[in-house]
Amino acid sequence: MKKLTALGLVLCAIFLTSTLRAEGAGNEYRNERFNYTISLPPAWERSELTLEGRHLLYAFPDRNTEIKVKAVFSSESDLEKIAGDRWNLSGIDPGLNKIIETGRISIRQNVTGKLLVFEYRSRGGATLQRTLITHNGGILYIIQCSSPTATFYRHEGAFNTALSSFNYIATVKSTEEETPAEPGLEPR
């Protein structure tokens, strides 16, 4: 009986691990006009909107969890200014709990940006969000991964895949983007 119970636990662990890996594995989404690619979970619904100077892409498994990519034509490349002055985090929630805010870090060989992790209150309760802000060739990108705090880590594989897979189709260097990334934060 103990062997049967142990076998059942092993099978449950294998099923759970394969389910988490399947959500973390992604299908590549490519947008030529806004010059980026990103891997998104194949089972998640997608919605996109492209206007004259901006593009929004949403991927979501339910109404509370999402990966969102905002791409906007912008000459602003100072990520500190964008994250601080232009993107008002306190407007989300005055009690916002900023957990991590990096300087410029390397995400991939040719992608550097600013990473923010914070927790805020929303209608559904506490929400945890990871955000990457980057700029390339006159386009500002904001990639957001958010979910209720209680379920955030259930989707962590998908979030990690999305953020680590984000890439420019063509890299356009500016003097701001040539600033070295923080040491010790190079991608694997």
Side-chain angles (χ1 to χ4, degrees):
M1 189 63 164
K2 287 183 181 182
K3 288 182 182 180
L4 187 57
T5 303
L7 179 62
L9 289 173
V10 168
L11 290 175
C12 286
I14 290 170
F15 175 74
L16 180 61
T17 302
S18 65
T19 302
L20 291 173
R21 281 192 187 137
E23 185 177 77
N27 289 347
E28 183 180 271
Y29 171 87
R30 184 176 185 90
N31 188 300
E32 298 284 339
R33 182 171 179 213
F34 284 89
N35 190 37
Y36 78 92
T37 62
I38 189 168
S39 290
L40 299 169
W44 288 23
E45 289 185 53
R46 293 183 192 169
S47 176
E48 65 180 291
L49 173 67
T50 301
L51 302 171
E52 185 65 29
R54 68 177 4 176
H55 167 76
L56 300 170
L57 170 67
Y58 298 91
F60 49 93
D62 57 51
R63 64 183 180 88
N64 297 318
T65 300
E66 70 180 7
I67 297 170
K68 182 186 328 182
V69 178
K70 296 178 184 180
V72 180
F73 291 121
S74 172
S75 60
E76 182 66 69
S77 62
D78 183 351
L79 299 182
E80 294 297 325
K81 182 181 272 190
I82 293 165
D85 300 340
R86 306 235 176 174
W87 194 41
N88 182 10
L89 290 177
S90 62
I92 295 171
D93 173 16
L96 177 120
N97 178 21
K98 195 180 299 181
I99 299 169
I100 296 172
E101 180 177 350
T102 69
R104 186 178 289 274
I105 62 170
S106 289
I107 306 302
R108 297 179 67 83
Q109 184 176 355
N110 65 340
V111 179
T112 62
K114 184 173 186 67
L115 182 67
L116 298 112
V117 179
F118 50 91
E119 185 177 43
Y120 61 93
R121 292 178 311 234
S122 67
R123 281 177 266 162
T127 299
L128 192 58
Q129 180 170 317
R130 287 184 191 161
T131 300
L132 171 66
I133 303 171
T134 186
H135 189 270
N136 178 53
I139 303 174
L140 171 66
Y141 304 93
I142 300 174
I143 301 94
Q144 301 172 316
C145 301
S146 62
S147 187
T149 303
T151 60
F152 184 90
Y153 293 102
R154 199 176 301 159
H155 305 288
E156 186 176 29
F159 295 156
N160 289 344
T161 298
L163 287 175
S164 66
S165 71
F166 180 83
N167 205 0
Y168 311 128
I169 295 170
T171 304
V172 180
K173 292 254 185 205
S174 71
T175 54
E176 176 69 25
E177 290 166 346
E178 290 173 5
T179 305
E182 289 183 11
L185 294 174
E186 293 295 318
R188 295 191 276 185

